[in-house]
Amino acid sequence: MSHRPPAPSGRVTSAKIVIAGGFGVGKTTLVGSVSEITPLTTEAIMTSAGVGVDDTRQVPGKTTTTVAMDFGRISIDRDLILYLFGTPGQTRFWFMWDELVRGAIGAVVLVDTRRLADCFAAIDFFEHRRLPYLVAINCFDGMQYHDPQDVRDALAISSDVPVVACDARNRESTKHVLISLVEYVLSMRRSRAVAPA
């Protein structure tokens, strides 16, 4: 995809979005499917160091893992560019998360409903830092097995946090997730601006 020229006003806004979730939920796939540039990935071959640490039972074909971050970019409109930063999923790499979220407007917590507990740490992390987030249910094999409300209830998250279904392999699906997050962040900011002090 070619880069679009800036809007006639010449003002281009950029925003940082963090893509997080448990090990093997599809974060690298999501960034790669939607990025208009070749994504920067820090995939490394899984070694014996991960045996007993990384649970690969639900992702048996997984041979690589993110060890630092994924980076991509997408122009949502002529005047809005999103920079995507995918986090590593394993707990041993969480020391990087504080740096990765610095300056972010929001986050996508990507979940695999077969391993829902793997996303609790990401949700806690963003809630503790008061960073707006949405939950994106990755529909593996193109199938949505659980209703978003059931997932919301299982995660015990606020009713205002968006929960959406997506296919991390599909550009339009992941673009919809990112647009939903930006709309959510903007609505939160508008609500705060009009709330009585």
Side-chain angles (χ1 to χ4, degrees):
M1 174 186 275
S2 63
H3 176 70
R4 296 180 211 151
S9 69
R11 276 189 46 204
V12 175
T13 300
S14 64
K16 180 179 183 179
I17 303 287
V18 174
I19 312 298
F23 171 70
V25 298
K27 299 176 297 292
T28 299
T29 301
L30 186 150
V31 171
S33 75
V34 77
S35 182
E36 62 198 15
I37 61 171
T38 302
L40 166 71
T41 62
T42 58
E43 290 285 292
I45 298 205
M46 295 174 64
T47 66
S48 59
V51 173
V53 178
D54 300 329
D55 184 0
T56 59
R57 289 176 293 188
Q58 293 294 329
V59 283
K62 187 163 179 63
T63 58
T64 62
T65 189
T66 301
V67 296
M69 68 173 196
D70 299 315
F71 175 78
R73 182 189 77 203
I74 179 172
S75 299
I76 296 294
D77 199 328
R78 292 184 146 187
D79 58 354
L80 177 60
I81 298 172
L82 300 180
Y83 293 100
L84 311 175
F85 289 78
T87 65
Q90 300 95 317
T91 56
R92 67 181 176 277
F93 297 119
W94 284 356
F95 66 91
M96 292 183 269
W97 281 38
D98 281 322
E99 290 302 317
L100 288 175
V101 302
R102 190 177 316 276
I105 65 161
V108 171
V109 177
L110 192 61
V111 302
D112 177 348
T113 56
R114 299 169 297 182
R115 299 175 291 130
L116 205 53
D118 292 355
C119 74
F120 286 134
I123 289 171
D124 290 345
F125 181 88
F126 298 125
E127 286 182 348
H128 180 71
R129 284 156 185 80
R130 298 181 184 208
L131 185 69
Y133 68 93
L134 67 67
V135 172
I137 305 165
N138 193 2
C139 298
F140 288 87
D141 304 321
M143 299 293 297
Q144 181 177 339
Y145 295 102
H146 301 281
D147 181 75
Q149 185 59 46
D150 293 338
V151 173
R152 173 188 311 288
D153 294 344
L155 295 174
I157 57 176
S158 171
S159 61
D160 67 321
V161 174
V163 178
V164 298
C166 76
D167 181 341
R169 302 166 299 177
N170 180 284
R171 177 178 171 76
E172 288 306 311
S173 180
T174 55
K175 187 175 178 181
H176 172 74
V177 168
L178 297 171
I179 291 169
S180 296
L181 176 63
V182 170
E183 289 172 344
Y184 174 57
V185 169
L186 290 173
S187 73
M188 287 183 67
R189 290 183 177 183
R190 280 191 293 270
S191 295
R192 285 187 204 140
V194 297

